Amino acid sequence: MSWIQKLYETYENCQSMVGKSTDDNNTPLLPICHTTQIAQIEVTIDQEGNFKRARVVPKDDAKTIIPCTEDSGGRTSGLRPHPLCDKLQYVAADYQQYGGSKKPCFRLDDSPYGNNDIETEYFKNELEGTSYISIKEFFDKYKKKLHEIFSELVKIPNLVVIINRNESIEKIREGSVDTETIIKNKYKLIDIFPKTLQKTITYEYLLERWCASEHSHPKAEAVLKYVKKGTVVKDLIDSKVLFVGENGKLLKKWDKKQKDNIPDIFKLSLDEQADAFVRWIVEIPNDPQSAVWLDMSLYESWIKYYSSTKKTKTLCYVVGTDLLEADQHPKKLRNDTDSAKLISANDTSGFTFRGRFLTAGQACGVSLDISQKSHLALRWLIERQGKVFYEGKRRTPGLTIVAWAITGEQIPDPLADSFSIMGFDKLESDSEPIASNAQDLALRLKKKISGYSVTLGDTTGVVVMGLDSATPGRMSITFYRELTGSDFLARVENWHQTCCWIHNYRPKEIDVAGKKKTIYIQFVGAPAPSDIAEAAYGSKVDDRLRNATVERILPCIIDGQKIPRDLVESVVRQASNRIAMENWEWNKTLSIACALYRKYHEKEEYDMALDENRTTRDYLYGRLLALADNLEQWALSKANEDRPTTAARLMQRFADHPYTTWRTIELSLQPYKARLGAKSLSRQRLISEVTTKFKPDDYTNDKKLSGEFLLGYHCQREALRSKEKEEDPEEGMLQE
Amino acid sequence: MENKVSFKVYGKFALFTDPLTKIGGEKCSYQIPTYQALKGIIESVYWKPTIIWIIDKVRVMKPIKTQTKSVKPLNYGESKAPYSLSIYTYLSDVEYQVQAHFKWNLHREDMSKDRNENKHYFVAKRMIERGGRRDIFLGTRECQGYVEPCCFGEGEGFYDNYGELSFDLMFHGFDYPDELGKDELHARFWRPKMVNGIIEFIRPEDCEIRKFVKKMSANPPVSVGLDEEGLLEGYCTEGVR
C-alpha cells in the first residue's frame, strides 16, 4: 500500500516497453537515468570523431531520449550539463567565439573557491598533520583561481601518495604524466573540492569521465573526440545549419526582408539559434543503430557508469535494504514543463523535518534505482492514460488523476463519461448504434467491462492516484487508492449505470460526403466529472474550483461514496436558471442535473422514460412546465418567431414559486392555443390530465421545487419529442 | 502481570505522515496508524519513566478515507515569505481500538522502587476513563483525538470480514536512547498485515529493518525515586482512615 512501491512494480512489469515509443509524440517508458528533450540540430560524425554532416531536426521527430545525471535531469536555471546530448552552450567549445550570449559550460570555469569548498575532512582522513599543512600552503599559493590550481593538481600522478610522502610542491610540478592519469586525478579532485566542482561540472568533464571509465561506449568516445576539437558551431555554420551575420557572430533573428527562404532553424520556436539542442548520430561500420538516442547499449553503458559513480548507500524506505542513494528525484512528471517534485527536501532552515532529524537523509532515504524507476513509470503512465487539468492563463499543470493496472494492462479511465468509456468517440461513422436507453447501456457496458476483466483478471492491483501542487516546486498526493481489478471495474460500471441520464452534448466529427461535420450524438450514461463541475458552477468555472470538484467526485466513483449534496443542489439551481445560458449549454446542464439528482436519490429508482404513474408534486410540476414550453415553442416556430418562451423565461421563478408562476404561464398560453387551433388540443388535454393527478394540497402548495421537477420536465419533453417524430417528422425537427 | 489495557481513540482527522512525503513538506498520511503514533497516544494518556508501553494490536473500525486540505505552513527558515503553501492529505473520520501493555524500563534502575504493577495499571485505567492526562492527537498536533475505554474487539468494524490486506514497507517506530540503553536513535520498519481489520504489531525488538539515524543521548529527569527527602513524611503504612 505504498504508491512508490506500486509504481516501481509497474515499471518492473513493463520492462519490455522501455525505450519503445508506441506513438510518435508520446514519451516512451524511459530507461533509468534518462530523460527526454526536444532536439533542434542533429550532427552526424564518424567513429573517429570527424564531422560528416548536420541537419535541422523536423518537429515531429524532435523528442529525444538523452542520458542525464540526477542533477541535470532536474536542472532549472543553473548550469548542469547532460552527459551526451545538450545545448550548444554546453557541447560547443566555440560557443562564445560566435557570440553565444549565455554562460558557456564546456570547460571548467574560472570560478573562485572558498576555504569552505575544500573538504578538509578528506585530508584529515588521508593525511598526517604536516602533509595537511603542506597542501594548505599549496592552495594558498595559487590563491583563489580554481582553474590554475586545477591544472597544477591534475599533473600530480597520484595526489594522495605524493602528499603522503611529503614531497615538495616543486617536485610535483616537474613530473610529466599521461592523460589517463590526469583524468583519474580529476576525479580525485571532486572529493577535495566537492562544492566548487559540483557547481562547475562541465560537459567535457562529464563526458571525459564516462569515457575514461570501464563502462565507456564507442559512440560516447567518438562524440568526445569530436567535441574536443572545439569546432561544433563552426561546422554547423559551414554546413549551413546555423547562420552568422557580417560581424561573424550568430544571427539573433533572420532578416525579415528575406521572407522567401527562411532557413529551417529560424522556423523553430527558439529564442535564438545559439539555444539549439544538439543530438548525435555516430556512424560506425556494421552498427545498425547509429542514432545515439535509440541505442540500447548506450543506455546500458550510461546507467552502469552512472551507478558506479554513486558511493553512499542508504536504507531505502521502499524496499528496506541498503542501496545506492538517490541525491535528487526526477521532475517533469505531469508534462515536460512541470518542475514539481513528489519527493524533495530543500528546507534546511525551516522545520519540515528538522527537529528530531538534522538532515533530510536522516529523515528519509530512497535508492537511485527505485526513485528513477517509480518516477519514470509515473511520468509514462500520466502521459499515456492520465488526465491533467491545467490551471490559469499560463496553463500550468494542476490536478492530475491517473489510474493504472500494476501489470500495465489497459483499464477504463475513471474520469471519462460513458460515451468515451464505450468507445463511441472513436467510431468511424455515425451509423453504428449508440446506447439510447438504460437496458442498452447496461448491456454495452457489461460487454465492455467484461472485455477489460478478461485481460485484467480478478486479482491484479489497480491504483488510482491524484496529484496536485500548491506551489510550483512541490507536488503532493491528494488521492490514493489501491483496489483489485474486479473491484475497480465493478465500481466504474456501477457509476456509469447509476449516475446516468440521456445526454445530447457530446460532439463528434463525421464525414458527410467528404466534408467534416460536427454532430451531437445522443447517448445514455454518466457525465464526466469535469462536465459535472462545469454544470454546477457554469462553463467559465474557475480552474481551481473545477479541479476541486473533480477531486470531490472521484471518491464517489472509486469508493462508491455518496455524491455531495451541495453539488447536486448547485447543478439543479443552475439548470433552473435557463435564461442565463445558451440553449446548448442549458440542455447539457439539465441532463447532467437529472443524472446527478437521480444518482443522489438512488433508492427512488427514477426511470429515464416518462413515468405516467408518478404523482409526486415536483415531478408533475416539471411535466406541466415541459408541456407549456412545448406548446408555445410549437406555435412560435410555426410563425417563424425566434424568442424564448414564457416557460423558459420564467423557469427560475417557477422553481421557487411553482403555483403562482404556473398561473402566469398558463394565462400567457392563451394566444398560442388560439393560434394553433385544433392542433393544440392533445397538448391541452395532456395539461389537464397532469393537473388532475396532483393531490389536492400539493397543487396549491407554493413551496420551492426540488430537483425532481427537472426529471419530470426532461422526461415529458423527451416523450413529446418522440411522439412528434412519429406523428409528424418535420414538426419534430422544428422543435430541435 | 495485570498490565494490559485497551482503549478506543477517534477523531475527525489523522495524519500519520509517510516519511517520503514528510521531507518535502507535502505531507501525506499512511493508511493505518504507526506503532509510534499509538505509543504516543497511550503515553499522553499515562506515562511514567518506570514503564515502557508496548502496543499489541490495533483494530481499524471505520473505512479508510482520505481528505486533502490546503494549508499554509509557517516559514521558520530564511525565506522571505511568511508562509508557504502545501496540500496535506489526512485520513478522515477515524476510529481505532488499541490494546497495549506496559513493561518495566530496565534501563532506569533509579525507578526500581516504583515498579508496582498494580499502581501503574490502575492509574492507566483511570486515565483512560478520564480521556488521558495530556492532549491526544492522531499523528500530528492538528489532529485532535479522543480516548475512551473499550473492550478490544467489541462493536462492529468496517473491515470485520474483509480478509487480509498487506501493506508495503512502513515506519514502525523509533528506538530512543532511554529505552534502548545506547546513545543512539534508530528508526524501525516493518511490513504490516491487516487481517479482518486487526493489525498485530511486532515487538520493537523483532523489527529486522532498522536505520541508524543519529547519535543521541538520553536526558532523563533527575530523580531519586522514593528516596526523596521528606516524600514519605507523615505517611503511615496503615493508610489514612
Side-chain angles (χ1 to χ4, degrees), chain A residues 174 178 180 199 233 273 432 464 522 602 635 711-712:
Chain A
E174 279 163 21
D178 56 296
E180 206 173 306
K199 271 183 238 158
V233 178
Q273 294 183 74
E432 284 169 72
V464 185
Q522 186 171 73
E602 222 169 310
L711 301 190

Side-chain angles (χ1 to χ4, degrees), chain A residues 459-509:
Chain A
T459 49
T460 309
V462 169
V463 178
V464 185
M465 194 162 165
L467 303 164
D468 201 355
S469 55
T471 52
R474 297 192 307 252
M475 181 141 57
S476 59
I477 301 157
T478 57
F479 187 86
Y480 183 80
R481 291 287 184 283
E482 269 172 43
L483 307 99
T484 62
S486 50
D487 257 3
F488 174 78
L489 292 176
R491 285 176 194 181
V492 169
E493 188 178 356
N494 180 51
W495 167 257
H496 285 278
Q497 275 183 357
T498 51
C499 186
C500 69
W501 199 254
I502 307 153
H503 303 286
N504 268 319
Y505 60 82
R506 277 301 295 256
K508 184 172 142 60
E509 278 198 350

Side-chain angles (χ1 to χ4, degrees), chain B residues 77-236:
Chain B
E78 290 139 8
S79 163
K80 278 173 196 155
Y83 57 83
S84 71
L85 298 171
S86 280
I87 305 170
Y88 288 180
T89 306
Y90 295 86
L91 295 175
S92 67
D93 191 20
V94 296
E95 184 183 326
Y96 305 108
Q97 290 183 352
V98 186
Q99 185 184 303
H101 71 270
F102 60 80
K103 62 174 192 181
W104 304 131
N105 186 347
L106 297 175
H107 300 294
R108 294 298 301 267
E109 253 332 294
D110 54 335
M111 290 293 163
S112 57
K113 284 187 184 167
D114 189 37
R115 289 179 191 153
N116 178 344
E117 70 182 60
N118 274 339
K119 169 190 139 185
H120 289 296
Y121 171 68
F122 283 109
V123 179
K125 261 193 96 161
R126 262 204 312 279
M127 286 312 119
I128 290 171
E129 278 162 27
R130 305 277 195 285
R133 287 194 167 177
R134 282 181 277 167
D135 278 5
I136 307 293
F137 43 90
L138 293 149
T140 42
R141 194 64 186 82
E142 68 264 33
C143 302
Q144 184 75 44
Y146 307 91
V147 163
E148 280 173 21
C150 87
C151 183
F152 191 89
E154 73 181 2
E156 235 176 78
F158 182 78
Y159 293 97
D160 283 355
N161 304 309
Y162 201 78
E164 190 176 301
L165 195 62
S166 317
F167 297 84
D168 294 318
L169 192 74
M170 217 181 116
F171 176 71
H172 184 277
F174 287 112
D175 286 327
Y176 282 107
D178 65 327
E179 292 176 5
L180 194 65
K182 273 194 282 185
D183 281 354
E184 286 175 358
L185 173 69
H186 289 265
R188 303 185 303 264
F189 297 86
W190 73 310
R191 296 177 201 276
K193 215 174 253 175
M194 183 165 99
V195 181
N196 289 333
I198 296 175
I199 299 154
E200 303 239 9
F201 286 104
I202 55 174
R203 293 275 182 276
E205 56 271 21
D206 296 339
C207 286
E208 279 163 10
I209 305 168
R210 270 159 207 277
K211 177 184 180 172
F212 166 74
V213 176
K214 64 174 183 183
K215 290 242 171 252
M216 191 188 211
S217 49
N219 187 15
V222 181
S223 98
V224 287
L226 293 174
D227 293 342
E228 194 178 327
E229 211 175 311
L231 188 71
L232 297 175
E233 214 169 275
Y235 176 80
C236 75

Side-chain angles (χ1 to χ4, degrees), chain A residues 80-93:
Chain A
R80 302 282 151 80
H82 296 307
L84 190 64
C85 304
D86 211 328
K87 292 186 173 183
L88 284 174
Q89 144 193 33
Y90 295 91
V91 302

